[in-house]
Amino acid sequence: MEGLTSYERLHLDSLEEIRRSPHFEVFSAGVDEWLRPAIGNDLGEYRPEWENVSMAGGLVSHQLRFSEFFIAWQTTGPLPRVHGEIDVFPLLDVVEQGDVPMGYPTTEFQRRFLSQLRCIAASRGTGSGHLTHLRVQPDAGPVEIWFDDQHADTGPYPSHPYPVTYTKLDLTYGEYMDALLATRGARGWEFLFADIELGRPGFHDIVTNLRNMLEVFPRLFPGCDYTPFQERLAARL
């Protein structure tokens, strides 16, 4: 594929490594050769709500322009079962999304919060019900990353003001995209960067998937350092 940035090439090579490996079964995968235009530093030229939104955190340097970029996979025996999915949107499409509130707000605070979200990654291939968003807040520092897992109650206490399936990730946009390279989208990796107690019963399957990933991936991908992911999992159990 011609004209890719070095960062886009890293992601394409990572996807192709899964597709070619005998250790993975791929259910669906696709990369569209038609590249969307790259965004520039002035986000306000695309939509007014992006005026004065911080460009810190790797928004420009870590963007992908692929119109489609997705893969759904699982490991093959005799390896422990690990499954995952990558389905990311070109950043221009993210910036051009409208401010129609997503989900089902129950308070005015939630309506405002949901209207600030722009989806950057989904799970269309498996329908597993998780989405990742940027939060658009002018003059508020680097954009926040929020993860919505519709099968997990992530609200830490009853007075939690956000919708209960949403949790903020301790990641910038660039760090999120880098983590995708290491985890290959393994199910539940996002919770390693959330203020979540993963020892709760509802997270058993996610923890099993993460433990298996951290057992298998250091052998399959020796060029990646999985120590920070292992430390984060241990800290949340």
Side-chain angles (χ1 to χ4, degrees):
M1 189 178 293
E2 299 293 331
L4 297 181
T5 66
S6 58
Y7 195 69
E8 288 167 340
R9 177 60 63 183
L10 283 175
H11 277 271
L12 183 61
D13 289 347
S14 177
L15 185 146
E16 290 300 324
E17 191 172 12
I18 296 174
R19 295 177 76 167
R20 294 191 303 264
S21 173
H23 302 297
F24 292 91
E25 177 184 1
V26 174
F27 303 115
S28 63
V31 179
D32 196 321
E33 294 187 10
W34 180 56
L35 301 177
R36 297 283 279 140
I39 67 166
N41 287 308
D42 183 8
L43 295 180
E45 68 178 282
Y46 302 103
R47 288 187 64 92
E49 65 266 25
W50 286 87
E51 187 73 36
N52 297 324
V53 170
S54 172
M55 295 298 295
L59 278 175
V60 172
S61 61
H62 288 68
Q63 67 179 298
L64 303 183
R65 295 171 295 158
F66 305 111
S67 299
E68 288 189 327
F69 189 85
F70 65 90
I71 188 167
W73 54 266
Q74 72 176 17
T75 50
T76 57
L79 293 175
R81 183 175 183 269
V82 186
H83 63 99
E85 181 174 11
I86 295 173
D87 180 11
V88 296
F89 304 146
L91 199 54
L92 179 61
D93 288 2
V94 175
V95 173
E96 290 182 339
Q97 292 173 19
D99 59 355
V100 178
M102 307 180 66
Y104 302 96
T106 59
T107 65
E108 178 57 26
F109 174 85
Q110 290 188 6
R111 189 209 65 78
R112 175 60 177 162
F113 166 74
L114 292 169
S115 75
Q116 295 172 330
L117 302 182
R118 303 294 182 273
C119 187
I120 62 174
S123 54
R124 294 172 294 180
T126 62
S128 55
H130 55 269
L131 304 167
T132 308
H133 308 272
L134 296 182
R135 186 180 183 187
V136 181
Q137 297 182 96
D139 303 312
V143 291
E144 297 175 355
I145 308 294
W146 284 78
F147 183 58
D148 172 21
D149 188 324
Q150 297 170 27
H151 300 296
D153 182 354
T154 57
Y157 42 80
S159 61
H160 183 58
Y162 301 97
V164 295
T165 61
Y166 287 79
T167 185
K168 183 177 178 292
L169 303 186
D170 182 24
L171 290 167
T172 65
Y173 179 78
E175 290 168 342
Y176 174 88
M177 297 300 294
D178 286 346
L180 274 182
L181 286 171
T183 64
R184 272 68 175 181
R187 174 74 173 100
W189 75 265
E190 296 90 348
F191 289 119
L192 297 176
F193 296 86
D195 186 14
I196 292 291
E197 182 184 339
L198 293 179
R200 291 186 286 176
F203 290 94
H204 177 267
D205 290 345
I206 287 173
V207 169
T208 297
N209 200 60
L210 292 173
R211 281 176 166 157
N212 288 346
M213 177 193 76
L214 293 172
E215 175 186 344
V216 170
F217 277 22
R219 289 182 277 134
L220 297 183
F221 309 112
C224 291
D225 180 12
Y226 289 95
T227 304
F229 298 93
Q230 294 164 339
E231 292 173 346
R232 284 182 169 272
L233 179 58
R236 282 157 179 78
L237 293 175

